[in-house]
Amino acid sequence: MGFFTDPINFLSGLLSDLLLGWGLSANLTQLVLFIIGAGLLATLPMFFTLVLIWSERKILGRIADRIGPNRVGPWGVIQPFADMIKIFTKELITPAGVDKVPYQLAPILSIAGVLLLWAVIPFGVSVLGVNLNVGILYLIAVGGFGTLGFLFAGWGSNNKYALLGAFRAIAQLISYEIPLAVSLLIPVMFTGSLGMNDIVAGQSIWFIFLSPLGALIFFIASIAEIGRSPFDLLEADSELVSGFNIEYSGLKFGMFYVADFLHAFTISMIFSTLFLGGWRGPFVEQVPLLGFVYLFAKTAVVWFIGIWIRGSMPRFRIDQMLNFNWKVLIPLSMTLVTCTALIDKLLPGSFWIRVPVLFALNIVLFLAAERLMRIGSKKKTRPVVAERPITVENTGITEAVPTRSIGEIG
Amino acid sequence: MITSLQVLFLAVAAVTLFSALMVVTTRKIMHAAMWLVLTLLGVAILFALLESRFFVVVQVIVYIGAIAILIIFAVMLTRRVMQETNHRSTKTGGLPRLLRCFFLCWSVLQ
């Protein structure tokens, strides 16, 4: 095991030998290593966010036919550092009448909800924070902290617009957590384990091929969870002034900002872990370092598709957003889980039967859902003014107000 | 000799009990809901000290992720939640309340 093939385990082995050589007990050495690992795992993603912000702005700029940040450093790579230093120097304003503890706790909770996710993501065969045997449940549980952060921010700010923004955010987050959690069950059923590393190890064929529809549902729900376009009603920048976080300034706003950008990347990483085989790839057994490369490459692809959608899709209306979740995604994901469970159990274990049948099942369910959505959307034309009789007082004649449909206006 | 694990347990148990007490004694209903979150988190940590990871995670999902958020949501929709004046129907002084708490603890411990 050399430095170049497996640096993390090499360094941790070196460090633990050193500490044991100094006469520390085995338990204490373990504790020190855990603390260093947790510190690194919590700090490095924050710095990585700087790269993320730069590349996201650059890609969004290209999509909008601009060049994006280009003044500070070559291709503007130092721009996020400049932004970071600017945000450090800004004044932290605490508005009058805020509820102190929730107000201060909210940015911390919202970024903790993202960073805690990194604890269970496997980066290699043996490189992961904790090999938690309930990793999937942990992912859902930690998501609750982010929600709590939004609630505290909205309520603690003593501002009714922040409160309304928080309501909007929570309505979206809580609703989309359901299809997210249900579609998480699909990899769990295929591997028979809730541990993240077991799920990666079980993907001799990527689960996106066994369940493309499950992957799609997870992807849509995850975009809604991170509040990106087309689900960005949380802080629709153009028509509402931000949302739950309007009373925050300086570094506290920066924490929400970093949490937002990092969450997008983290959830892409979870997607590639669950559906795209995580760190799996050729020669990964010999050179564990390649696991990082594979995972980050897959994550980058998923993350790029997310930005692509963000840059090119219009925003949902809030009723469309909720309808889409409760009337399409949740029934579809429930049906998918039920059908997958039944068919996967009934089928013989042979590879060449199992994969095509499950793939076909997903396609059929997708087409059926698409068909049903089309029929549903054809039926309703939403009238702007409801037809109602008005009575003219003198004559008693009743006449109808002409009905206009949305299409005529827009 | 008290081990470090026992010290940790005592600290967590104390925080949990204190926040549970605050849930029923604090004047603002929103704060009560927030103290409840801390109580439930304390219970989750107690599960963690017992090395039952599944219970920890389920406690956080079900109680903090769902029930506490639902309670906070419901509280936010009540009237005059932003205001300080949130009087209880029974107004009692500090001593009767202390006695009540004492008898409650005593009856639990019996």
Side-chain angles (χ1 to χ4, degrees):
Chain A
M1 195 182 286
F3 176 75
F4 291 105
T5 54
D6 193 5
I8 304 281
N9 282 327
F10 180 77
L11 286 180
S12 81
L14 210 66
L15 197 62
S16 90
D17 284 347
L18 183 70
L19 288 176
L20 286 174
W22 286 352
L24 265 68
S25 68
N27 275 338
L28 210 57
T29 308
Q30 196 73 16
L31 184 70
V32 169
L33 283 180
F34 269 134
I35 289 173
I36 292 174
L40 281 179
L41 207 56
T43 319
L44 290 182
M46 302 273 266
F47 283 103
F48 188 60
T49 313
L50 291 174
V51 184
L52 288 180
I53 291 175
W54 174 77
S55 36
E56 180 152 357
R57 286 179 62 185
K58 207 75 180 165
I59 295 168
L60 276 179
R62 286 291 171 190
I63 289 173
D65 203 11
R66 295 180 281 114
I67 23 183
N70 62 337
R71 293 287 152 157
V72 194
W75 310 291
V77 277
I78 322 220
Q79 185 67 50
F81 289 91
D83 289 347
M84 183 181 77
I85 292 163
K86 190 187 93 178
I87 220 164
F88 277 146
T89 58
K90 281 202 169 182
E91 188 187 356
L92 290 173
I93 301 165
T94 307
V98 296
D99 200 346
K100 285 264 164 43
V101 176
Y103 178 79
Q104 311 288 9
L105 208 57
I108 300 172
L109 275 178
S110 82
I111 202 154
V114 180
L115 285 178
L116 282 172
L117 293 175
W118 284 66
V120 292
I121 296 176
F123 298 101
V125 188
S126 55
V127 185
L128 76 170
V130 211
N131 194 3
L132 208 59
N133 53 5
V134 284
I136 296 282
L137 288 178
Y138 174 86
L139 291 181
I140 306 170
V142 163
F145 284 112
T147 319
L148 214 55
F150 287 175
L151 267 177
F152 280 13
W155 193 77
S157 295
N158 188 29
N159 178 325
K160 65 183 164 202
Y161 299 109
L163 190 61
L164 287 172
F167 278 146
R168 209 166 52 227
I170 303 299
Q172 176 172 335
L173 292 187
I174 289 181
S175 330
Y176 278 88
E177 225 162 63
I178 300 168
L180 190 84
V182 173
S183 60
L184 277 177
L185 285 179
I186 287 169
V188 172
M189 280 194 309
F190 287 146
T191 44
S193 166
L194 284 165
M196 293 286 272
N197 218 6
D198 296 338
I199 287 177
V200 175
Q203 295 189 52
S204 48
I205 175 162
W206 293 359
F207 286 155
I208 195 169
F209 295 120
L210 290 181
S211 180
L213 186 57
L216 183 69
I217 293 172
F218 181 85
F219 186 64
I220 294 173
S222 70
I223 288 181
E225 278 292 302
I226 58 181
R228 284 289 172 85
S229 179
F231 296 99
D232 60 345
L233 333 96
L234 310 193
E235 41 180 316
D237 343 41
S238 49
E239 63 262 25
L240 311 159
V241 185
S242 207
F244 59 92
N245 55 9
I246 53 174
E247 289 290 1
Y248 287 87
S249 66
L251 203 54
K252 280 183 224 159
F253 173 75
M255 286 171 88
F256 283 116
Y257 190 70
V258 165
D260 179 36
F261 276 88
L262 193 59
H263 203 179
F265 192 77
T266 311
I267 219 147
S268 314
M269 199 175 246
I270 293 167
F271 180 88
S272 47
T273 303
L274 294 177
F275 290 102
L276 298 179
W279 45 260
R280 287 181 77 107
F283 303 116
V284 81
E285 279 80 15
Q286 287 84 29
V287 189
L289 187 60
L290 276 178
F292 280 90
V293 179
Y294 292 138
L295 180 63
F296 274 84
K298 289 165 183 174
T299 307
V301 172
V302 178
W303 175 74
F304 177 75
I305 295 174
I307 297 175
W308 196 358
I309 292 173
R310 184 191 181 191
S312 46
M313 297 281 272
R315 184 178 303 126
F316 275 142
R317 246 183 4 240
I318 192 152
D319 60 320
Q320 288 171 334
M321 184 268 284
L322 288 174
N323 272 346
F324 180 61
N325 180 55
W326 291 98
K327 295 183 184 166
V328 181
L329 281 188
I330 290 178
L332 187 59
S333 57
M334 297 278 184
T335 320
L336 179 67
V337 165
T338 319
C339 293
T340 310
L342 281 175
I343 288 184
D344 199 32
K345 206 69 189 170
L346 289 176
L347 279 180
S350 157
F351 178 83
W352 290 111
I353 302 175
R354 189 164 163 256
V355 177
V357 169
L358 280 174
F359 191 86
L361 167 79
N362 277 270
I363 299 296
V364 166
L365 277 179
F366 175 75
L367 290 178
E370 200 264 344
R371 195 76 220 148
L372 282 175
M373 272 167 78
R374 220 167 261 264
I375 294 169
S377 69
K378 230 177 245 172
K379 260 184 205 162
K380 56 166 188 262
T381 44
R382 209 172 65 101
V384 173
V385 182
E387 190 171 345
R388 64 169 193 277
I390 52 167
T391 318
V392 181
E393 275 178 28
N394 294 340
T395 55
I397 299 169
T398 308
E399 63 176 311
V401 174
T403 309
R404 291 188 302 168
S405 74
I406 248 271
E408 285 173 49
I409 293 168
Chain B
M1 179 61 198
I2 299 177
T3 63
S4 56
L5 204 64
Q6 280 169 322
V7 173
L8 202 60
F9 167 76
L10 286 176
V12 173
V15 170
T16 311
L17 281 179
F18 175 73
S19 53
L21 202 65
M22 290 306 284
V23 173
V24 288
T25 53
T26 187
R27 303 298 293 179
K28 283 160 107 178
I29 189 166
M30 188 68 191
H31 284 177
M34 286 170 184
W35 281 111
L36 183 65
V37 173
L38 188 58
T39 312
L40 297 170
L41 198 65
V43 176
I45 297 172
L46 288 183
F47 279 133
L49 289 176
L50 294 171
E51 295 185 357
S52 53
R53 290 163 162 182
F54 182 71
F55 275 142
V56 178
V57 172
V58 167
Q59 169 84 13
V60 173
I61 291 177
V62 174
Y63 285 95
I64 297 178
I67 291 182
I69 286 181
L70 213 63
I71 287 176
I72 293 178
F73 215 75
V75 166
M76 277 171 146
L77 292 171
T78 54
R79 277 188 309 136
R80 279 184 286 169
V81 65
M82 306 280 265
Q83 289 170 16
E84 293 282 332
T85 50
N86 198 348
H87 294 295
R88 302 266 166 109
S89 53
T90 50
K91 257 190 166 180
T92 46
L95 190 62
R97 205 185 297 161
L98 212 67
L99 279 176
R100 236 183 292 152
C101 287
F102 173 73
F103 280 116
L104 187 71
C105 294
W106 182 72
S107 60
V108 167
L109 289 175
Q110 277 299 299

